[in-house]
Amino acid sequence: MVNIIGVDPGSNATGYGIVCQKGSQLQCIDFGVIRPKTGLSLFERLAIIYDGILDAVKRYQVEEGAIEQAFHSLNSKTAIVLGEVRGVIALSLIHAGVKVEEYSPSQVKQAVVGYGRASKDQVQYMVKTILGLNKLPPKDAADALAIGLCHIQMRRFKASQKII
């Protein structure tokens, strides 16, 4: 059993989800959204995101992490900010000794919904269904859980191919 954190990066809302696989069963350990207060500088928001991810990793003894790759169609300012957020998240995971992988949005949607252009609502619903949750998680957290589920699927594939 390995605890995995999936992270959906954002400067205003960073979703995270902790998932694990026990035999053939998938389990949601925890999920949430890190929302720095409005009005804070980017650097202050980055520090809050760093601390929030590091806290979740330590609290749940996470061993592996997965981050969503940036969209290619973002404007340059948004892309730079998202890159900084992704860097801080990766740094927090690496500092905690967590192995990090990244997946494209279409890989995540394909893994969870079976369609690489699925909507956020479809991802949210399938995450709830796959993990047997009582209610829909917030969209940012659902995306993070989906990223974690994608990582589990890729781990299974690599293990079947003896790549791990």
Side-chain angles (χ1 to χ4, degrees):
M1 182 178 93
V2 175
N3 285 350
I4 295 164
I5 187 169
V7 185
D8 181 34
S11 61
N12 295 320
T14 293
Y16 69 90
I18 316 292
V19 293
C20 73
Q21 179 182 3
K22 291 181 179 179
S24 63
Q25 298 293 313
L26 298 172
Q27 182 179 4
C28 174
I29 306 298
D30 191 23
F31 59 84
V33 180
I34 301 165
R35 293 185 193 278
K37 294 178 183 173
T38 56
L40 294 176
S41 73
L42 175 60
F43 299 121
E44 292 168 315
R45 291 191 316 245
L46 292 174
I48 290 167
I49 293 165
Y50 179 94
D51 289 342
I53 296 298
L54 196 57
D55 177 61
V57 166
K58 288 179 179 179
R59 188 174 345 126
Y60 296 107
Q61 299 172 342
V62 170
E63 297 176 49
E64 296 180 19
I67 304 172
E68 188 171 62
Q69 290 175 344
F71 291 100
H72 295 288
S73 62
L74 295 172
N75 69 50
S76 60
K77 182 179 178 185
T78 303
I80 290 169
V81 170
L82 185 57
E84 291 174 332
V85 173
R86 291 181 74 246
V88 162
I89 292 165
L91 184 64
S92 68
L93 294 172
I94 293 296
H95 273 177
V98 174
K99 179 182 171 188
V100 182
E101 300 285 343
E102 62 180 353
Y103 302 99
S104 71
S106 61
Q107 282 178 297
V108 173
K109 292 173 181 180
Q110 180 69 37
V112 175
V113 180
Y115 176 60
R117 294 183 180 250
S119 70
K120 281 196 171 274
D121 289 337
Q122 290 171 310
V123 171
Q124 192 179 25
Y125 176 78
M126 286 305 295
V127 164
K128 175 187 176 287
T129 302
I130 291 167
L131 293 172
L133 302 175
N134 293 328
K135 62 181 183 174
L136 292 173
K139 287 187 178 169
D140 294 307
D143 287 350
L145 289 166
I147 295 161
L149 291 171
C150 177
H151 182 69
I152 287 173
Q153 189 177 68
M154 290 305 295
R155 287 179 94 248
R156 287 178 183 163
F157 173 75
K158 288 177 181 178
S160 75
Q161 302 298 308
K162 307 284 190 243
I163 298 172
I164 292 183

